[in-house]
Coordinates of all heavy atoms in Angstrom, one line a residue:
M4 N 25.7 -20.3 -9.3 CA 24.4 -20.6 -8.9 C 23.5 -19.4 -9.2 O 23.8 -18.3 -9.0 CB 24.3 -20.9 -7.4 CG 22.9 -21.4 -7.0 SD 23.0 -22.1 -5.3 CE 21.3 -22.2 -5.0
A5 N 22.3 -19.7 -9.8 CA 21.4 -18.6 -10.2 C 20.7 -18.0 -9.0 O 20.3 -18.7 -8.1 CB 20.4 -19.1 -11.2
S6 N 20.5 -16.7 -9.1 CA 19.7 -16.0 -8.1 C 18.3 -16.1 -8.5 O 17.9 -16.1 -9.6 CB 20.2 -14.5 -8.0 OG 19.3 -13.8 -7.2
Y7 N 17.4 -16.1 -7.5 CA 16.0 -16.3 -7.8 C 15.1 -15.0 -7.5 O 13.9 -15.1 -7.6 CB 15.4 -17.5 -7.1 CG 16.0 -18.7 -7.6 CD1 17.1 -19.4 -6.9 CD2 15.6 -19.3 -8.8 CE1 17.7 -20.5 -7.4 CE2 16.2 -20.4 -9.3 CZ 17.2 -21.0 -8.6 OH 17.8 -22.2 -9.1
T8 N 15.8 -13.9 -7.2 CA 15.0 -12.7 -7.0 C 15.8 -11.5 -7.4 O 17.0 -11.5 -7.5 CB 14.6 -12.5 -5.5 OG1 15.8 -12.4 -4.7 CG2 13.8 -13.6 -4.9
F9 N 15.1 -10.4 -7.6 CA 15.7 -9.1 -7.8 C 15.4 -8.3 -6.6 O 14.3 -8.1 -6.2 CB 15.1 -8.4 -9.1 CG 15.4 -9.1 -10.3 CD1 14.5 -9.8 -11.0 CD2 16.7 -9.0 -10.8 CE1 14.8 -10.4 -12.2 CE2 17.0 -9.6 -12.0 CZ 16.1 -10.3 -12.7
K10 N 16.5 -7.9 -5.9 CA 16.3 -7.3 -4.6 C 16.3 -5.8 -4.5 O 15.9 -5.2 -3.6 CB 17.4 -7.9 -3.6 CG 17.3 -9.4 -3.4 CD 18.2 -9.8 -2.3 CE 18.1 -11.2 -1.9 NZ 17.4 -12.2 -2.6
S11 N 16.7 -5.2 -5.6 CA 16.8 -3.7 -5.6 C 16.3 -3.1 -6.9 O 16.1 -3.8 -7.9 CB 18.3 -3.4 -5.4 OG 19.0 -3.7 -6.6
L12 N 16.1 -1.8 -6.8 CA 15.6 -1.0 -7.9 C 16.7 -1.1 -9.0 O 16.4 -1.1 -10.2 CB 15.3 0.4 -7.5 CG 14.8 1.3 -8.6 CD1 13.6 0.8 -9.3 CD2 14.5 2.7 -8.0
E13 N 18.0 -1.1 -8.6 CA 19.1 -1.1 -9.5 C 19.0 -2.4 -10.4 O 19.2 -2.4 -11.6 CB 20.4 -1.0 -8.8 CG 20.7 0.3 -8.2 CD 20.0 0.6 -6.9 OE1 19.7 -0.4 -6.2 OE2 19.7 1.7 -6.6
D14 N 18.7 -3.5 -9.7 CA 18.6 -4.8 -10.5 C 17.4 -4.7 -11.5 O 17.6 -5.1 -12.6 CB 18.2 -6.0 -9.5 CG 19.4 -6.3 -8.6 OD1 20.5 -6.0 -8.9 OD2 19.1 -6.9 -7.5
R15 N 16.3 -4.1 -11.1 CA 15.2 -3.9 -12.0 C 15.5 -3.0 -13.1 O 15.0 -3.2 -14.2 CB 14.0 -3.5 -11.2 CG 13.5 -4.6 -10.2 CD 12.2 -4.2 -9.5 NE 11.7 -5.4 -8.9 CZ 12.0 -5.8 -7.6 NH1 12.8 -5.1 -6.9 NH2 11.6 -7.0 -7.2
K16 N 16.3 -2.0 -12.9 CA 16.7 -1.0 -13.9 C 17.5 -1.7 -15.0 O 17.5 -1.4 -16.1 CB 17.3 0.2 -13.3 CG 16.4 1.1 -12.6 CD 16.9 2.5 -12.5 CE 15.9 3.4 -11.9 NZ 14.9 3.9 -12.8
K17 N 18.4 -2.7 -14.5 CA 19.2 -3.4 -15.5 C 18.2 -4.3 -16.4 O 18.5 -4.3 -17.6 CB 20.1 -4.4 -14.7 CG 21.2 -3.7 -14.0 CD 22.1 -4.6 -13.2 CE 23.1 -3.9 -12.3 NZ 23.8 -4.9 -11.4
V18 N 17.2 -4.9 -15.8 CA 16.2 -5.6 -16.6 C 15.6 -4.7 -17.6 O 15.4 -5.0 -18.8 CB 15.2 -6.3 -15.7 CG1 14.1 -6.9 -16.5 CG2 15.8 -7.3 -14.8
E19 N 15.2 -3.5 -17.1 CA 14.5 -2.6 -18.0 C 15.4 -2.2 -19.2 O 15.0 -2.2 -20.3 CB 14.1 -1.3 -17.2 CG 13.4 -0.3 -18.0 CD 12.9 0.9 -17.1 OE1 13.0 0.9 -15.9 OE2 12.3 1.8 -17.7
T20 N 16.7 -1.9 -18.9 CA 17.6 -1.5 -19.9 C 17.8 -2.6 -21.0 O 17.8 -2.4 -22.2 CB 18.9 -1.1 -19.3 OG1 18.7 0.0 -18.4 CG2 20.0 -0.7 -20.4
L21 N 18.0 -3.8 -20.5 CA 18.2 -4.9 -21.4 C 17.0 -5.2 -22.2 O 17.1 -5.5 -23.4 CB 18.7 -6.2 -20.6 CG 20.0 -6.1 -19.8 CD1 20.2 -7.2 -18.9 CD2 21.1 -5.9 -20.8
W22 N 15.8 -5.1 -21.6 CA 14.6 -5.4 -22.3 C 14.4 -4.3 -23.4 O 14.0 -4.7 -24.5 CB 13.4 -5.3 -21.3 CG 12.1 -5.7 -21.8 CD1 11.0 -4.8 -21.9 CD2 11.6 -6.9 -22.4 NE1 9.9 -5.4 -22.4 CE2 10.2 -6.7 -22.7 CE3 12.2 -8.1 -22.6 CZ2 9.5 -7.7 -23.3 CZ3 11.4 -9.1 -23.1 CH2 10.1 -8.9 -23.5
E23 N 14.7 -3.1 -23.1 CA 14.5 -2.0 -24.1 C 15.5 -2.1 -25.2 O 15.3 -1.6 -26.3 CB 14.6 -0.6 -23.4 CG 13.4 -0.3 -22.6 CD 13.4 1.0 -21.9 OE1 14.5 1.7 -21.9 OE2 12.4 1.4 -21.3
R24 N 16.7 -2.7 -24.9 CA 17.7 -3.0 -26.0 C 17.3 -4.1 -26.9 O 17.9 -4.4 -27.9 CB 19.0 -3.3 -25.3 CG 19.8 -2.0 -25.0 CD 21.3 -2.3 -24.9 NE 21.6 -2.6 -23.6 CZ 22.7 -3.4 -23.2 NH1 23.5 -3.9 -24.2 NH2 23.0 -3.6 -22.0
G25 N 16.2 -4.8 -26.5 CA 15.7 -5.9 -27.4 C 16.1 -7.3 -27.0 O 15.8 -8.3 -27.8
L26 N 16.8 -7.5 -25.9 CA 17.1 -8.8 -25.4 C 15.9 -9.6 -25.1 O 14.9 -9.0 -24.6 CB 18.1 -8.8 -24.3 CG 19.6 -8.6 -24.6 CD1 19.9 -7.3 -25.2 CD2 20.4 -8.9 -23.4
V27 N 15.9 -10.9 -25.2 CA 14.8 -11.8 -24.9 C 15.1 -12.3 -23.4 O 16.2 -12.2 -22.9 CB 14.6 -13.0 -25.8 CG1 14.3 -12.5 -27.2 CG2 15.9 -13.8 -25.9
P28 N 14.0 -12.8 -22.7 CA 14.2 -13.2 -21.3 C 15.4 -14.1 -21.1 O 16.1 -14.0 -20.1 CB 12.9 -13.8 -21.0 CG 11.9 -13.0 -21.8 CD 12.6 -12.8 -23.1
K29 N 15.6 -15.1 -22.0 CA 16.7 -16.0 -21.8 C 18.1 -15.3 -21.8 O 18.9 -15.6 -21.0 CB 16.7 -17.0 -23.0 CG 17.8 -18.1 -22.8 CD 17.7 -19.1 -23.9 CE 18.7 -20.2 -23.7 NZ 18.6 -21.2 -24.8
E30 N 18.2 -14.3 -22.7 CA 19.4 -13.5 -22.7 C 19.6 -12.6 -21.5 O 20.7 -12.5 -20.9 CB 19.5 -12.6 -24.0 CG 19.5 -13.4 -25.3 CD 19.3 -12.6 -26.5 OE1 18.4 -11.6 -26.5 OE2 19.9 -12.8 -27.6
I31 N 18.5 -12.0 -21.0 CA 18.5 -11.2 -19.8 C 18.9 -12.1 -18.6 O 19.8 -11.7 -17.8 CB 17.1 -10.6 -19.6 CG1 16.9 -9.5 -20.7 CG2 17.1 -9.9 -18.2 CD1 15.5 -9.0 -20.6
A32 N 18.4 -13.3 -18.5 CA 18.7 -14.2 -17.4 C 20.2 -14.5 -17.5 O 20.8 -14.5 -16.4 CB 17.9 -15.5 -17.5
G33 N 20.7 -14.8 -18.6 CA 22.1 -15.1 -18.7 C 23.0 -13.9 -18.4 O 24.0 -14.1 -17.7
E34 N 22.6 -12.8 -18.8 CA 23.3 -11.5 -18.5 C 23.4 -11.2 -17.0 O 24.4 -10.8 -16.5 CB 22.6 -10.4 -19.3 CG 23.3 -9.1 -19.4 CD 24.5 -9.1 -20.4 OE1 24.5 -9.8 -21.4 OE2 25.3 -8.2 -20.2
L35 N 22.3 -11.5 -16.3 CA 22.2 -11.2 -14.9 C 22.5 -12.3 -14.0 O 22.4 -12.2 -12.8 CB 20.8 -10.6 -14.6 CG 20.4 -9.3 -15.4 CD1 19.0 -8.9 -15.1 CD2 21.4 -8.2 -15.1
G36 N 22.7 -13.5 -14.5 CA 22.9 -14.7 -13.7 C 21.8 -15.1 -12.9 O 21.9 -15.5 -11.7
T37 N 20.6 -15.1 -13.5 CA 19.4 -15.5 -12.8 C 18.6 -16.5 -13.6 O 18.9 -16.8 -14.7 CB 18.5 -14.3 -12.4 OG1 17.5 -14.6 -11.5 CG2 17.9 -13.6 -13.6
S38 N 17.5 -17.0 -13.0 CA 16.7 -18.0 -13.7 C 15.8 -17.2 -14.7 O 15.3 -16.1 -14.5 CB 15.8 -18.6 -12.7 OG 14.6 -19.2 -13.2
I39 N 15.5 -17.9 -15.8 CA 14.6 -17.3 -16.9 C 13.2 -17.1 -16.3 O 12.5 -16.2 -16.7 CB 14.6 -18.2 -18.1 CG1 13.9 -17.5 -19.3 CG2 14.0 -19.6 -17.8 CD1 14.0 -18.2 -20.6
H40 N 12.8 -18.0 -15.4 CA 11.5 -17.9 -14.8 C 11.4 -16.6 -13.9 O 10.3 -15.9 -13.9 CB 11.2 -19.1 -13.9 CG 11.2 -20.3 -14.7 ND1 10.2 -20.6 -15.7 CD2 12.1 -21.4 -14.7 CE1 10.5 -21.8 -16.2 NE2 11.6 -22.3 -15.7
V41 N 12.5 -16.2 -13.3 CA 12.5 -15.0 -12.5 C 12.4 -13.8 -13.4 O 11.6 -12.8 -13.1 CB 13.8 -14.9 -11.7 CG1 14.0 -13.5 -11.1 CG2 13.9 -16.0 -10.6
V42 N 13.0 -13.9 -14.6 CA 12.9 -12.8 -15.5 C 11.5 -12.6 -16.1 O 11.0 -11.5 -16.1 CB 13.9 -12.9 -16.7 CG1 13.7 -11.9 -17.8 CG2 15.4 -12.9 -16.2
Y43 N 10.9 -13.7 -16.4 CA 9.5 -13.7 -16.9 C 8.6 -13.1 -15.8 O 7.7 -12.3 -16.1 CB 9.0 -15.1 -17.3 CG 9.3 -15.5 -18.7 CD1 10.2 -16.5 -19.0 CD2 8.7 -14.8 -19.8 CE1 10.5 -16.8 -20.3 CE2 9.0 -15.1 -21.1 CZ 9.9 -16.2 -21.3 OH 10.2 -16.5 -22.6
N44 N 8.7 -13.5 -14.6 CA 7.9 -13.0 -13.5 C 8.1 -11.5 -13.3 O 7.2 -10.8 -13.1 CB 8.2 -13.7 -12.2 CG 7.7 -15.1 -12.1 OD1 6.8 -15.5 -12.9 ND2 8.2 -16.0 -11.3
E45 N 9.4 -11.1 -13.4 CA 9.7 -9.7 -13.3 C 9.1 -8.9 -14.4 O 8.6 -7.8 -14.2 CB 11.2 -9.5 -13.2 CG 11.7 -8.2 -12.8 CD 11.2 -7.8 -11.4 OE1 11.0 -8.6 -10.5 OE2 11.0 -6.5 -11.2
L46 N 9.2 -9.4 -15.6 CA 8.6 -8.6 -16.7 C 7.1 -8.5 -16.6 O 6.5 -7.5 -17.0 CB 9.0 -9.3 -18.1 CG 10.5 -9.2 -18.5 CD1 10.7 -10.1 -19.7 CD2 10.9 -7.8 -18.7
T47 N 6.5 -9.5 -16.1 CA 5.0 -9.5 -15.8 C 4.7 -8.4 -14.7 O 3.8 -7.6 -14.9 CB 4.5 -10.8 -15.4 OG1 4.8 -11.8 -16.5 CG2 3.0 -10.8 -15.1
R48 N 5.5 -8.5 -13.7 CA 5.3 -7.6 -12.5 C 5.4 -6.1 -12.9 O 4.7 -5.2 -12.4 CB 6.3 -7.8 -11.5 CG 6.2 -6.9 -10.2 CD 7.3 -7.3 -9.2 NE 7.0 -8.6 -8.6 CZ 7.9 -9.6 -8.7 NH1 9.1 -9.5 -9.2 NH2 7.6 -10.8 -8.1
G49 N 6.3 -5.8 -13.9 CA 6.5 -4.4 -14.2 C 5.8 -3.9 -15.5 O 6.1 -2.8 -15.9
R50 N 4.9 -4.6 -16.0 CA 4.2 -4.2 -17.2 C 3.4 -2.9 -16.8 O 2.6 -2.9 -15.9 CB 3.2 -5.2 -17.7 CG 3.8 -6.3 -18.4 CD 2.8 -7.2 -19.0 NE 3.4 -8.4 -19.5 CZ 2.8 -9.6 -19.6 NH1 1.5 -9.7 -19.3 NH2 3.4 -10.6 -20.1
D51 N 3.5 -1.9 -17.7 CA 2.7 -0.7 -17.4 C 1.6 -0.5 -18.5 O 0.9 0.6 -18.4 CB 3.6 0.5 -17.3 CG 4.3 0.9 -18.7 OD1 4.0 0.2 -19.7 OD2 5.1 1.8 -18.7
G52 N 1.4 -1.4 -19.4 CA 0.3 -1.3 -20.3 C 0.7 -0.6 -21.6 O -0.1 -0.7 -22.6
S53 N 1.8 0.0 -21.7 CA 2.3 0.6 -23.0 C 3.2 -0.3 -23.7 O 3.5 -1.4 -23.2 CB 3.0 1.9 -22.7 OG 4.2 1.7 -21.9
R54 N 3.6 0.1 -24.9 CA 4.4 -0.8 -25.8 C 5.7 -0.1 -26.2 O 5.7 1.1 -26.4 CB 3.6 -1.3 -27.0 CG 2.4 -2.2 -26.6 CD 1.9 -3.0 -27.8 NE 0.9 -3.8 -27.4 CZ 1.0 -5.1 -27.1 NH1 2.2 -5.7 -27.2 NH2 0.0 -5.9 -26.8
L55 N 6.7 -0.9 -26.4 CA 7.9 -0.4 -27.0 C 7.8 -0.3 -28.5 O 6.8 -0.8 -29.1 CB 9.0 -1.4 -26.7 CG 9.4 -1.6 -25.2 CD1 10.3 -2.8 -25.0 CD2 10.1 -0.4 -24.7
P56 N 8.7 0.4 -29.2 CA 8.6 0.5 -30.6 C 8.5 -0.8 -31.4 O 7.9 -0.9 -32.4 CB 9.9 1.3 -31.0 CG 10.2 2.1 -29.8 CD 9.8 1.2 -28.6
D57 N 9.1 -1.9 -30.8 CA 9.0 -3.2 -31.5 C 7.7 -3.9 -31.1 O 7.6 -5.1 -31.4 CB 10.2 -4.0 -31.2 CG 10.4 -4.4 -29.7 OD1 9.5 -4.0 -28.9 OD2 11.4 -5.0 -29.4
Q58 N 6.8 -3.2 -30.4 CA 5.5 -3.7 -30.0 C 5.5 -4.7 -28.8 O 4.4 -5.2 -28.4 CB 4.7 -4.4 -31.2 CG 4.4 -3.4 -32.3 CD 3.6 -2.2 -31.8 OE1 2.6 -2.4 -31.2 NE2 4.1 -1.0 -32.1
R59 N 6.6 -4.9 -28.2 CA 6.6 -5.7 -27.0 C 6.1 -4.8 -25.8 O 6.2 -3.6 -25.9 CB 8.0 -6.2 -26.6 CG 8.5 -7.2 -27.6 CD 9.9 -7.7 -27.2 NE 10.8 -6.6 -27.1 CZ 11.9 -6.6 -26.4 NH1 12.2 -7.7 -25.7 NH2 12.7 -5.6 -26.3
L60 N 5.5 -5.5 -24.8 CA 5.0 -4.7 -23.7 C 6.1 -4.1 -22.9 O 7.1 -4.7 -22.7 CB 4.2 -5.6 -22.8 CG 2.8 -6.1 -23.3 CD1 2.2 -7.2 -22.4 CD2 1.9 -4.9 -23.4
R61 N 6.0 -2.8 -22.5 CA 7.0 -2.1 -21.8 C 7.1 -2.6 -20.4 O 6.1 -2.9 -19.8 CB 6.7 -0.6 -21.8 CG 7.8 0.2 -21.2 CD 7.5 1.7 -21.3 NE 7.2 2.2 -22.6 CZ 8.2 2.5 -23.5 NH1 9.4 2.5 -23.1 NH2 7.8 2.9 -24.7
Y62 N 8.4 -2.7 -19.9 CA 8.6 -3.0 -18.5 C 9.1 -1.7 -17.8 O 10.0 -1.0 -18.3 CB 9.7 -4.1 -18.4 CG 10.3 -4.3 -17.0 CD1 9.5 -5.1 -16.2 CD2 11.4 -3.7 -16.6 CE1 10.0 -5.3 -14.9 CE2 11.9 -3.9 -15.3 CZ 11.2 -4.7 -14.4 OH 11.6 -4.9 -13.2
N63 N 8.5 -1.4 -16.6 CA 8.9 -0.3 -15.9 C 9.4 -0.7 -14.5 O 8.7 -1.3 -13.7 CB 7.6 0.6 -15.7 CG 7.9 1.9 -15.0 OD1 8.5 1.9 -13.9 ND2 7.4 3.0 -15.5
A64 N 10.7 -0.5 -14.3 CA 11.4 -0.9 -13.1 C 10.8 -0.3 -11.9 O 10.7 -1.0 -10.8 CB 12.9 -0.6 -13.2
E65 N 10.5 1.0 -11.9 CA 9.9 1.7 -10.8 C 8.6 1.1 -10.4 O 8.2 1.0 -9.2 CB 9.9 3.2 -11.0 CG 11.3 3.7 -11.0 CD 11.4 5.2 -11.3 OE1 10.3 5.9 -11.3 OE2 12.5 5.7 -11.5
L66 N 7.7 0.8 -11.4 CA 6.4 0.2 -11.1 C 6.6 -1.2 -10.5 O 5.9 -1.5 -9.5 CB 5.6 0.1 -12.4 CG 4.3 -0.5 -12.3 CD1 3.3 0.2 -11.4 CD2 3.6 -0.6 -13.7
A67 N 7.5 -1.9 -11.0 CA 7.8 -3.3 -10.4 C 8.2 -3.2 -9.0 O 7.7 -3.9 -8.1 CB 8.8 -4.0 -11.2
Q68 N 9.1 -2.2 -8.7 CA 9.6 -2.0 -7.3 C 8.4 -1.6 -6.4 O 8.3 -2.1 -5.3 CB 10.7 -0.9 -7.3 CG 11.3 -0.7 -5.9 CD 12.2 -1.9 -5.5 OE1 12.7 -2.6 -6.4 NE2 12.5 -2.0 -4.3
L69 N 7.5 -0.7 -6.9 CA 6.4 -0.3 -6.1 C 5.5 -1.5 -5.8 O 5.0 -1.6 -4.7 CB 5.6 0.8 -6.9 CG 4.3 1.3 -6.2 CD1 4.7 2.0 -4.9 CD2 3.6 2.2 -7.1
R70 N 5.2 -2.3 -6.8 CA 4.4 -3.5 -6.6 C 5.0 -4.5 -5.6 O 4.2 -5.0 -4.8 CB 4.1 -4.2 -7.9 CG 3.2 -3.4 -8.8 CD 2.9 -4.0 -10.1 NE 1.9 -3.3 -10.8 CZ 1.7 -3.4 -12.1 NH1 2.4 -4.2 -12.9 NH2 0.7 -2.7 -12.7
V71 N 6.3 -4.6 -5.6 CA 6.9 -5.5 -4.6 C 6.8 -4.9 -3.2 O 6.4 -5.6 -2.3 CB 8.4 -5.7 -5.0 CG1 9.2 -6.4 -3.8 CG2 8.5 -6.6 -6.2
Q72 N 7.0 -3.6 -3.1 CA 6.9 -3.0 -1.8 C 5.5 -3.1 -1.2 O 5.3 -3.4 0.0 CB 7.3 -1.5 -1.8 CG 8.8 -1.4 -2.0 CD 9.3 0.0 -2.4 OE1 8.5 0.9 -2.7 NE2 10.5 0.3 -2.2
E73 N 4.5 -2.9 -2.1 CA 3.1 -3.0 -1.7 C 2.8 -4.4 -1.2 O 2.1 -4.6 -0.2 CB 2.2 -2.6 -2.8 CG 2.2 -1.1 -3.0 CD 1.4 -0.7 -4.3 OE1 1.0 -1.6 -5.1 OE2 1.1 0.5 -4.4
S74 N 3.3 -5.4 -2.0 CA 3.1 -6.8 -1.6 C 3.7 -7.1 -0.2 O 3.1 -7.8 0.6 CB 3.7 -7.7 -2.7 OG 3.6 -9.0 -2.3
L75 N 4.9 -6.6 0.0 CA 5.5 -6.8 1.3 C 4.7 -6.2 2.4 O 4.6 -6.8 3.5 CB 7.0 -6.3 1.3 CG 7.9 -7.1 0.4 CD1 9.3 -6.4 0.3 CD2 8.1 -8.5 0.9
E76 N 4.2 -5.0 2.2 CA 3.4 -4.4 3.2 C 2.1 -5.1 3.5 O 1.6 -5.1 4.7 CB 3.0 -2.9 2.8 CG 4.2 -2.0 2.8 CD 4.0 -0.7 2.2 OE1 2.8 -0.4 1.8 OE2 4.9 0.1 2.0
R77 N 1.5 -5.7 2.5 CA 0.3 -6.5 2.7 C 0.5 -7.8 3.4 O -0.4 -8.4 4.0 CB -0.4 -6.7 1.4 CG -1.2 -5.6 0.8 CD -2.0 -6.0 -0.3 NE -1.4 -6.8 -1.3 CZ -0.7 -6.3 -2.4 NH1 -0.7 -5.0 -2.6 NH2 -0.1 -7.0 -3.3
R78 N 1.7 -8.3 3.3 CA 2.0 -9.7 3.8 C 1.7 -9.8 5.2 O 2.2 -9.0 6.0 CB 3.5 -10.0 3.5 CG 3.8 -11.4 3.5 CD 5.3 -11.6 3.1 NE 5.4 -11.6 1.7 CZ 6.6 -11.7 1.1 NH1 7.7 -12.0 1.8 NH2 6.6 -11.7 -0.2
G79 N 0.9 -10.8 5.6 CA 0.6 -11.0 7.0 C -0.5 -10.2 7.6 O -0.9 -10.5 8.7
K80 N -1.0 -9.2 6.8 CA -2.2 -8.5 7.3 C -3.4 -9.2 7.2 O -3.7 -9.9 6.2 CB -2.3 -7.1 6.6 CG -1.2 -6.2 6.9 CD -1.5 -4.8 6.3 CE -0.4 -3.8 6.7 NZ -0.6 -2.5 6.1
R81 N -4.3 -9.2 8.1 CA -5.6 -9.8 8.1 C -6.7 -8.8 7.9 O -6.6 -7.7 8.5 CB -5.9 -10.7 9.3 CG -4.9 -11.8 9.4 CD -5.2 -12.6 10.7 NE -4.2 -13.6 10.9 CZ -4.5 -14.9 10.9 NH1 -5.7 -15.3 10.6 NH2 -3.6 -15.8 11.0
K82 N -7.7 -9.2 7.2 CA -8.8 -8.3 7.1 C -9.6 -8.2 8.4 O -9.8 -9.3 9.0 CB -9.7 -8.7 5.9 CG -9.0 -8.6 4.6 CD -10.0 -9.0 3.4 CE -9.2 -8.9 2.1 NZ -10.1 -9.2 1.0
S83 N -10.1 -7.1 8.8 CA -10.8 -7.0 10.0 C -12.2 -7.7 9.8 O -12.8 -7.6 8.7 CB -11.0 -5.6 10.5 OG -11.9 -4.9 9.6
S84 N -12.7 -8.3 10.9 CA -13.9 -9.0 10.8 C -15.1 -8.1 11.0 O -16.3 -8.5 10.9 CB -14.0 -10.1 11.9 OG -13.8 -9.5 13.2
G85 N -14.9 -6.8 11.2 CA -16.0 -5.8 11.3 C -16.7 -5.9 12.6 O -17.9 -5.5 12.7
G86 N -16.1 -6.4 13.6 CA -16.9 -6.5 14.9 C -16.1 -6.3 16.1 O -15.8 -6.1 17.0

């Protein structure tokens, strides 16, 4: 059964390594036993704006991990009403 999330920085580093080796999301999903949609979401989450030598957008595992942690910290917080 496919996993639907990457739970650790190590998982994300595997994605980063496979992406830098030139694998496409379908191959990465097969390699890691996860859904292709999860891989696409993860690649989007970790984009750092730079490009690989083959011109694909670079994926940064540490940036993706930071974004997930920030998202978890914001979860459930309400904005103050100022009064």
Side-chain angles (χ1 to χ4, degrees):
M4 184 169 171
S6 170
Y7 293 99
T8 61
F9 292 107
K10 295 191 175 12
S11 68
L12 181 57
E13 291 78 29
D14 292 336
R15 291 184 169 90
K16 287 203 176 276
K17 290 176 191 173
V18 172
E19 183 175 355
T20 300
L21 295 171
W22 183 245
E23 288 179 354
R24 277 204 266 154
L26 274 68
V27 297
K29 183 176 182 179
E30 294 168 325
I31 294 171
E34 194 74 27
L35 300 178
T37 190
S38 161
I39 189 170
H40 301 290
V41 170
V42 174
Y43 274 114
N44 288 339
E45 191 61 31
L46 290 172
T47 299
R48 177 180 293 122
R50 283 186 190 154
D51 68 3
S53 63
R54 294 198 178 262
L55 295 169
D57 63 3
Q58 297 304 307
R59 293 182 303 154
L60 290 169
R61 184 177 305 275
Y62 170 80
N63 183 310
E65 291 178 6
L66 177 61
Q68 185 72 21
L69 178 65
R70 287 179 174 162
V71 166
Q72 288 171 343
E73 288 172 347
S74 173
L75 290 173
E76 289 171 8
R77 283 191 310 270
R78 202 176 277 182
K80 289 188 179 179
R81 295 179 184 248
K82 295 183 180 182
S83 73
S84 59

